[in-house]
Amino acid sequence: MQPALRSLLSLHGLSGGRGVAAGASRAARCALCSSRATPSGDTASPAPDDWYDVVIVGGGMVGAAVAALLGAARMTSQLRVAVLDVKPQPTHFQPRPVPDLRVSTITPGSIQMLRRAGAWEEVAALSASFDSMQVWDSSSSGSIRWGARDTGAERMGIVAENTLLQAALLAAAQRSGGRTEFLWPAEVRALRLPADGDGTPRAGTSAADASGGGGAVRGSQPKQHGLAELELADGRVLATRLVVAADGAASRVRQMAGLRTWGWGYGQRGLVATVSTAEPSDTAWQRFLPTGPLALLPVRDGYSNIVWSTSPQMAAALEAMGPDEFAAAVNKALRDPPTSATPGTVTSLLGPIATSLERLRPLLPGSGSGSDPGSGFQEPPMVLGWAGGSPRSFPLQLKQAGRYTLPRLALVGDAAHAVHPLAGQGVNLGFGDAAALAEALAAAVETGTDPGDARMLYDSYEAPRRTAVLTMVAALDAIKGAFAIQAPGFAALRGLGLRLVNAATPVRNGIMQYAMMGQV
């Protein structure tokens, strides 16, 4: 190894454990990034063309959030960061007359992240907030209604177009410090990582290997400098202390790293559409149907957004409908009175219980039907038709990576976990990843720890995020499973449960506090 490179690596804690003292200067922390030194004696893989502290693969919402947070924080603002994507990504949002149909529900916890990243003002100006939420069942009379005042919050959340969130975060990253570079179009052809924590070498894997294409030549390990290497399709090789995989549920980086996933398909599709309504709304509505939940969410300029989890056959039929026919289908799903499922064996066993529960119904708060003021239940606004473009759908699945980190690699967002959209938690979990990783890297810089250190990445990022994600996954799957059972006896139990929760203010607010902030 060249003496100059050895000296630079020692400054970064790469050649002797933790390395730099906490009081080391920012110039010392970023010495590696400023250097064009290249390793000698390694002829099996191309010498790096450039050096970075962090390379983020994927310029979507979560990857942009990581870049913006690193640039905004004092301890990490001097890191040299690159954001790669296979195609140019927007750094300016130009609103169209009709909002895009791909939107995200952003919780107060994620709003705090947007503030820290420097993207909140732009997002707030072009999104819609909601201060109440109503969830109700199509197979029973049970419902729950929350208000922002119940939880002491200014708002329950906002609904923003995905392109707005992405552009605002990329613009914030671009503004902060000037050490963030956007490299696009750029496709990763091969990934080379140092040995795993158990000493097992992680062979450089090409995109062809990852996709099962075969015929790829595996590069040697980056033995001389100990960094990760990314070989791009144009031949460039980037060396970095940390690779952040933010390239989605079908992450090529995750596959190239040899990380496996587990999960299952739900046999459903999520249908999305922008719709016009008879009146604007500041409530997030969600009704659980036999085929899955249907949400009606407020978006900017008085429009609303539909997110409907349903069967593939129903999704295909809805996509083929014109605006009026689609409106009729949505209004029927949202406004039809509660129905009972076809009786079966389980129903016959629970029938006496259901009958007894119905006798207790008048004693419960919120036992009125329809829009009875005593129940707190309100009818959603009438949908007039889809606007801007016809509805589209996508398959629903649960996918979890077996590991979120390796030496010099961290997965974030859908690359680490994809969840059911019934509570709108997907991008919020991804933003939670971004915030946790940025905080872990800031602490590493402050203490002189290598940002690619496997133990640090696991302890400070993977372990807490895995717990948070799996807790949310369990909660979402439990909710989905509870509403999937349509037997009348179960429906009566479910309706009773909803009414009890709605009447028990501390329980109701505790549930919403967890959903809004990720904590009770």
Side-chain angles (χ1 to χ4, degrees), residues 259-279:
L259 294 176
R260 297 183 178 182
T261 62
W262 59 269
W264 50 81
Y266 288 107
Q268 292 183 312
R269 294 185 70 84
L271 181 132
V272 292
T274 301
V275 297
S276 57
T277 56
E279 56 189 11

Side-chain angles (χ1 to χ4, degrees), residues 384-395:
L384 303 179
W386 55 256
S390 59
R392 297 207 308 259
S393 70
F394 52 93

Side-chain angles (χ1 to χ4, degrees), residues 405-418:
T405 61
L406 289 172
R408 306 214 174 283
L409 175 67
L411 310 184
V412 295
D414 284 356
H417 44 74

Side-chain angles (χ1 to χ4, degrees), residues 22-197:
S25 69
R26 290 185 180 178
R29 292 181 188 126
C30 292
L32 178 61
C33 301
S34 305
S35 171
R36 290 296 183 129
T38 57
S40 61
D42 186 359
T43 58
S45 60
D49 296 292
D50 216 340
W51 307 79
Y52 292 90
D53 289 298
V54 180
V55 174
I56 301 166
V57 182
M61 293 182 287
V62 177
V66 175
L69 288 166
L70 292 178
R74 179 179 60 86
M75 293 307 301
T76 53
S77 61
Q78 293 303 307
L79 296 180
R80 191 178 183 205
V81 178
V83 184
L84 277 63
D85 206 286
V86 294
K87 59 183 179 180
Q89 299 299 314
T91 57
H92 174 70
F93 178 73
Q94 183 62 45
R96 298 177 179 178
V98 176
D100 189 70
L101 48 73
R102 295 303 299 267
V103 303
S104 293
T105 303
I106 305 302
T107 64
S110 291
I111 289 174
Q112 291 180 4
M113 184 281 298
L114 292 171
R115 292 184 189 276
R116 292 197 299 273
W120 169 242
E121 288 188 5
E122 182 178 355
V123 171
L126 294 168
S127 58
S129 65
F130 58 95
D131 59 16
S132 58
M133 180 176 181
Q134 180 172 292
V135 174
W136 73 109
D137 188 10
S138 67
S139 299
S140 75
S141 58
S143 67
I144 306 178
R145 188 173 179 87
W146 290 274
R149 289 179 299 179
D150 297 335
T151 58
E154 178 183 357
R155 61 179 67 84
M156 298 197 71
I158 65 166
V159 182
E161 291 157 89
N162 291 354
T163 49
L164 167 63
L165 292 164
Q166 179 190 19
L169 286 163
L170 288 175
Q174 199 170 43
R175 288 192 302 269
S176 56
R179 295 189 62 84
T180 298
E181 303 173 32
F182 299 150
L183 304 180
W184 46 56
E187 181 179 357
V188 178
R189 186 170 65 185
L191 170 69
R192 289 182 283 273
L193 297 174
D196 204 344

Side-chain angles (χ1 to χ4, degrees), residues 249-250 263-268 394-399 417-421:
W264 50 81
Y266 288 107
Q268 292 183 312
F394 52 93
L396 301 182
Q397 62 177 344
L398 171 73
K399 181 180 286 188
H417 44 74
V419 301
H420 195 286

Side-chain angles (χ1 to χ4, degrees), residues 312-336:
Q313 297 79 10
M314 183 65 173
L318 291 167
E319 287 182 78
M321 292 178 181
D324 293 341
E325 188 180 6
F326 182 77
V330 172
N331 289 326
K332 177 177 174 59
L334 288 174
R335 290 172 166 267
D336 268 3

Side-chain angles (χ1 to χ4, degrees), residues 115-513:
R115 292 184 189 276
R116 292 197 299 273
W120 169 242
E121 288 188 5
E122 182 178 355
V123 171
L126 294 168
S127 58
S129 65
F130 58 95
D131 59 16
S132 58
M133 180 176 181
Q134 180 172 292
V135 174
W136 73 109
D137 188 10
S138 67
S139 299
S140 75
S141 58
S143 67
I144 306 178
R145 188 173 179 87
W146 290 274
R149 289 179 299 179
D150 297 335
T151 58
E154 178 183 357
R155 61 179 67 84
M156 298 197 71
I158 65 166
V159 182
E161 291 157 89
N162 291 354
T163 49
L164 167 63
L165 292 164
Q166 179 190 19
L169 286 163
L170 288 175
Q174 199 170 43
R175 288 192 302 269
S176 56
R179 295 189 62 84
T180 298
E181 303 173 32
F182 299 150
L183 304 180
W184 46 56
E187 181 179 357
V188 178
R189 186 170 65 185
L191 170 69
R192 289 182 283 273
L193 297 174
D196 204 344
D198 60 4
T200 304
R202 302 201 67 82
T205 308
S206 73
D209 291 328
S211 61
V217 177
R218 293 179 180 269
S220 66
Q221 299 310 301
K223 297 176 182 177
Q224 298 300 313
H225 51 61
L227 305 181
E229 289 183 354
L230 292 160
E231 185 175 340
L232 307 184
D234 62 8
R236 284 180 294 169
V237 176
L238 310 181
T240 180
R241 294 197 285 166
L242 178 65
V243 177
V244 178
D247 51 343
S251 170
R252 302 292 291 278
V253 172
R254 183 188 64 224
Q255 295 174 47
M256 285 188 274
L259 294 176
R260 297 183 178 182
T261 62
W262 59 269
W264 50 81
Y266 288 107
Q268 292 183 312
R269 294 185 70 84
L271 181 132
V272 292
T274 301
V275 297
S276 57
T277 56
E279 56 189 11
S281 172
D282 59 3
T283 297
W285 313 87
Q286 186 170 55
R287 191 180 199 189
F288 282 86
L289 307 170
T291 54
L294 165 60
L296 179 68
L297 308 170
V299 292
R300 63 173 172 88
D301 299 334
Y303 287 94
S304 292
N305 185 269
I306 292 288
V307 183
W308 193 341
S309 301
T310 189
S311 66
Q313 297 79 10
M314 183 65 173
L318 291 167
E319 287 182 78
M321 292 178 181
D324 293 341
E325 188 180 6
F326 182 77
V330 172
N331 289 326
K332 177 177 174 59
L334 288 174
R335 290 172 166 267
D336 268 3
T339 58
S340 298
T342 303
T345 304
V346 177
T347 304
S348 63
L349 292 174
L350 291 177
I353 299 177
T355 302
S356 299
L357 293 176
E358 285 303 311
R359 290 173 181 167
L360 293 174
R361 179 179 170 186
L363 303 178
L364 293 171
S367 61
S369 60
S371 56
D372 177 5
S375 69
F377 181 91
Q378 296 181 17
E379 292 285 358
M382 291 288 293
V383 172
L384 303 179
W386 55 256
S390 59
R392 297 207 308 259
S393 70
F394 52 93
L396 301 182
Q397 62 177 344
L398 171 73
K399 181 180 286 188
Q400 294 285 314
R403 296 174 66 175
Y404 292 1
T405 61
L406 289 172
R408 306 214 174 283
L409 175 67
L411 310 184
V412 295
D414 284 356
H417 44 74
V419 301
H420 195 286
L422 70 83
Q425 290 297 319
V427 75
N428 292 294
L429 290 173
F431 285 160
D433 293 346
L437 182 60
E439 289 172 6
L441 296 182
V445 171
E446 185 174 18
T447 59
T449 304
D450 180 357
D453 179 72
R455 175 54 59 186
M456 181 280 295
L457 289 172
Y458 180 82
D459 290 345
S460 300
Y461 171 65
E462 177 172 350
R465 289 310 297 161
R466 182 178 292 280
T467 298
V469 169
L470 292 181
T471 300
M472 184 62 72
V473 166
L476 295 179
D477 264 33
I479 293 170
K480 182 180 181 301
F483 281 94
I485 302 173
Q486 294 299 309
F490 280 115
L493 286 171
R494 188 168 60 237
L496 173 66
L498 289 171
R499 292 194 293 275
L500 288 174
V501 169
N502 197 48
T505 301
V507 176
R508 184 183 72 230
N509 293 345
I511 293 172
M512 184 49 59
Q513 186 71 16

